[in-house]
């Protein structure tokens, strides 16, 4: 049987949640076929007293906790700035949080036009966590979008002005030529016969390369740590006694494990990468000290000042990492619980009304 990806379920949950909310309020939601999705997922047609008003908005729906920020949410816009600002109808941004089971909204066109007029080119559009699409929030969205449509109908034409305009025009023309080049290619693109067998194997075993890479990484880390242990133990003897050597080694390996463990579990990619790279820096520095002292003759001279500083710093860095990083993630957890409490409170008020 075919497997339904979790990401697909989350995407559909966001579309279904938005559609259910707006249709319950009497408005009309028309989905766009996935093959024709170029930055919008559906169209929203507003109604009043059972009649269509003629006001129309395109809707971009993002589903998942990855769009959550420390305060509110954010919708990436780097690839769609031109589409959303040139649009003759406003583009509404929706973020669906599956843990909160709530939708949050923002007028993408309004925000991006305002930022571009200031000479800024944002990478994402912030979404206020107060702009929840429940109860009175639906009326707030309807009033705001209809008022914006009445004030800006017909805007969105693109012009090239000044040096920046000349650069943007050259970029747009180059993109257009590239699109024409790919459009003239045969169906499916140009084949590469040399790698057809390899491509067939990887299609049959899609997890082969990721698993192979993971196994190689673990093997390298195990062998590296085993080779480092004698040298680190000898180096630690410069500053510490027998018992403290063991304590220092526990701090060293514990710090690496702590950073890698959190980096692996954190769903925020950039933050997880920083933690993993920090662990690699600590690991490589230890390897530099260990191999330079343990091997005879040493492959490279190890500075005595660096060695002493490194030995003294590891226990302190371990303590700070546990306190600061642990405190940061504890703060994020409290923020998540605060969001849940706020959503529950708003829903309770809506039910009472």
């Amino acid at each position: 049987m075919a497997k339904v990806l979790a990401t697909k379920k989350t995407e559909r949950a966001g579309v279904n949640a938005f559609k259910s909310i707006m249709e319950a309020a009497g408005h009309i939601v028309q989905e766009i076929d996935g093959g024709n999705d170029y930055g919008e997922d559906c169209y929203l047609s507003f109604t009043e007293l059972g009649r269509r008003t003629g006001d129309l908005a395109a809707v971009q729906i993002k589903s998942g906790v990855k769009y959550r920020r420390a305060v509110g949410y954010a919708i990436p816009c780097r690839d769609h700035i031109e589409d959303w600002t040139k649009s003759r109808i406003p583009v509404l941004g929706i973020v669906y949080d599956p843990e909160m089971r709530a939708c949050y909204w923002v007028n993408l066109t309004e925000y991006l036009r305002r930022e571009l007029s200031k000479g800024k080119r944002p990478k994402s559009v912030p979404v206020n966590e107060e702009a929840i699409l429940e109860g009175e929030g639906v009326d707030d969205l309807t009033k705001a979008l209809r008022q914006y449509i009445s004030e800006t109908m017909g805007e969105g034409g693109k012009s090239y002005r000044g040096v920046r305009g000349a650069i943007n025009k050259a970029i747009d023309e180059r993109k257009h030529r590239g699109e024409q080049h790919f459009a003239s290619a045969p169906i499916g693109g140009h084949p590469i016969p040399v790698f057809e067998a390899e491509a067939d194997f990887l299609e049959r075993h899609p997890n082969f390369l990721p698993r192979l890479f993971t196994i190689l990484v673990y093997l390298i880390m195990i062998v590296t740590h085993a080779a480092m242990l004698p040298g680190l133990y000898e180096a630690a003897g410069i500053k510490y006694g027998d018992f403290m050597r063991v304590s220092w080694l526990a701090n060293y390996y514990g710090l690496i494990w702590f950073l890698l463990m959190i980096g692996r579990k954190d769903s925020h990619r950039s933050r997880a990468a920083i933690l993993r790279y920090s662990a690699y820096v600590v690991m490589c520095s230890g390897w530099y000290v260990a191999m330079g002292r343990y091997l005879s003759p040493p492959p490279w001279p190890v500075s005595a000042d660096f060695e002493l500083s490194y030995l003294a710093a590891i226990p302190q860095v371990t303590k700070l990492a546990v306190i600061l990083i642990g405190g940061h993630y504890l703060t994020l957890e409290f923020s998540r619980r605060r969001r849940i409490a706020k959503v529950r409170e708003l829903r309770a008020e809506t039910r009472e009304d």
Side-chain angles (χ1 to χ4, degrees):
M1 300 292 288
K3 183 178 180 181
V4 179
L5 299 177
T7 53
K8 193 66 176 178
K9 292 181 181 179
T10 304
E11 292 172 1
R12 286 305 310 170
V15 174
N16 292 336
F18 174 77
K19 188 175 182 180
S20 175
I21 292 170
M22 299 310 296
E23 290 184 344
H27 303 296
I28 303 169
V29 178
Q30 296 175 318
E31 291 188 47
I32 299 174
D33 181 77
N36 295 316
D37 180 2
Y38 297 102
E40 297 85 28
D41 298 292
C42 55
Y43 290 108
L44 173 62
S45 181
F46 293 101
T47 64
E48 186 176 14
L49 300 177
R51 293 178 176 273
R52 296 180 64 176
T53 64
D55 296 325
L56 184 68
V59 186
Q60 169 69 70
I61 302 175
K62 296 294 185 182
S63 304
V65 296
K66 66 180 179 180
Y67 301 105
R68 183 189 295 168
R69 300 295 181 264
V71 177
Y73 302 81
I75 297 178
C77 62
R78 182 178 298 176
D79 296 333
H80 298 291
I81 289 180
E82 298 295 334
D83 296 328
W84 294 344
T85 54
K86 290 171 56 180
S87 176
R88 293 304 180 101
I89 60 174
V91 182
L92 174 67
I94 299 292
V95 175
Y96 175 71
D97 191 327
E99 292 183 357
M100 309 298 175
R101 297 184 181 179
C103 293
Y104 304 83
W105 68 275
V106 64
N107 188 333
L108 295 172
T109 302
E110 180 181 28
Y111 177 87
L112 290 173
R113 286 182 179 176
R114 184 171 62 247
E115 293 300 299
L116 290 177
S117 67
K118 299 176 183 177
K120 300 179 181 179
R121 194 173 182 85
K123 297 180 181 178
S124 62
V125 177
V127 182
N128 194 325
E129 64 184 9
E130 299 291 341
I132 186 170
L133 202 58
E134 286 187 9
E136 295 181 355
V138 178
D139 294 333
D140 294 339
L141 180 148
T142 302
K143 293 176 183 177
L145 262 293
R146 291 192 62 191
Q147 181 177 355
Y148 182 78
I149 291 170
S150 65
E151 294 174 351
T152 61
M153 178 61 72
E155 293 185 4
K158 184 174 182 180
S159 60
Y160 300 99
R161 299 178 181 177
V163 176
R164 177 174 292 182
I167 295 174
N168 290 336
K169 181 178 181 181
I171 293 173
D172 290 344
E173 290 177 350
R174 185 171 181 178
K175 288 182 179 179
H176 181 66
R177 289 195 298 269
E179 291 170 356
Q180 289 181 331
H181 170 74
F182 286 111
S184 62
I187 297 176
H190 301 285
I192 306 176
V194 178
F195 295 101
E196 285 184 343
E198 290 78 2
D200 290 339
F201 175 81
L202 293 177
E203 282 186 346
R204 292 194 302 270
H205 307 88
N207 295 324
F208 174 77
L209 287 179
R211 289 179 179 175
L212 177 62
F213 179 77
T214 302
I215 292 172
L216 290 176
V217 169
Y218 280 125
L219 285 176
I220 292 172
M221 291 180 64
I222 291 172
V223 172
T224 301
H225 286 319
M228 288 166 55
L229 187 58
L232 287 175
Y233 185 80
E234 181 180 338
I238 301 173
K239 188 174 178 61
Y240 304 104
D242 291 340
F243 174 77
M244 293 304 296
R245 287 194 205 186
V246 178
S247 176
W248 187 91
L249 289 172
N251 276 274
Y252 172 78
Y253 287 111
L255 176 60
I256 295 174
W257 173 82
F258 178 73
L259 295 174
L260 290 176
M261 177 196 67
I262 298 182
R264 182 180 180 183
K265 293 184 178 181
D266 193 344
S267 59
H268 193 285
R269 290 186 177 181
S270 58
R271 194 165 55 205
I274 291 174
L275 292 173
R276 290 198 301 270
Y277 291 146
S278 299
Y280 299 151
V281 169
V282 175
M283 189 189 311
C284 292
S285 300
W287 188 77
Y288 169 76
V289 172
M291 296 297 103
R293 173 162 290 277
Y294 180 67
L295 298 180
S296 181
W300 50 74
V302 180
S303 170
D305 293 336
F306 175 82
E307 196 172 44
L308 290 173
S309 300
Y310 186 74
L311 293 172
I314 287 298
Q316 306 303 322
V317 172
T318 302
K319 295 175 185 175
L320 287 175
V322 172
I323 294 172
L324 296 179
I325 297 176
H328 174 70
Y329 282 96
L330 186 61
T331 302
L332 292 179
E333 175 60 18
F334 278 121
S335 176
R336 184 186 71 86
R337 298 189 178 198
R338 176 179 58 81
R339 282 194 180 98
I340 294 175
K342 184 177 293 185
V343 170
R344 287 176 177 172
E345 181 180 349
L346 289 171
R347 287 177 175 170
E349 292 176 357
T350 303
R351 285 194 295 268
E352 291 176 0
D353 294 340

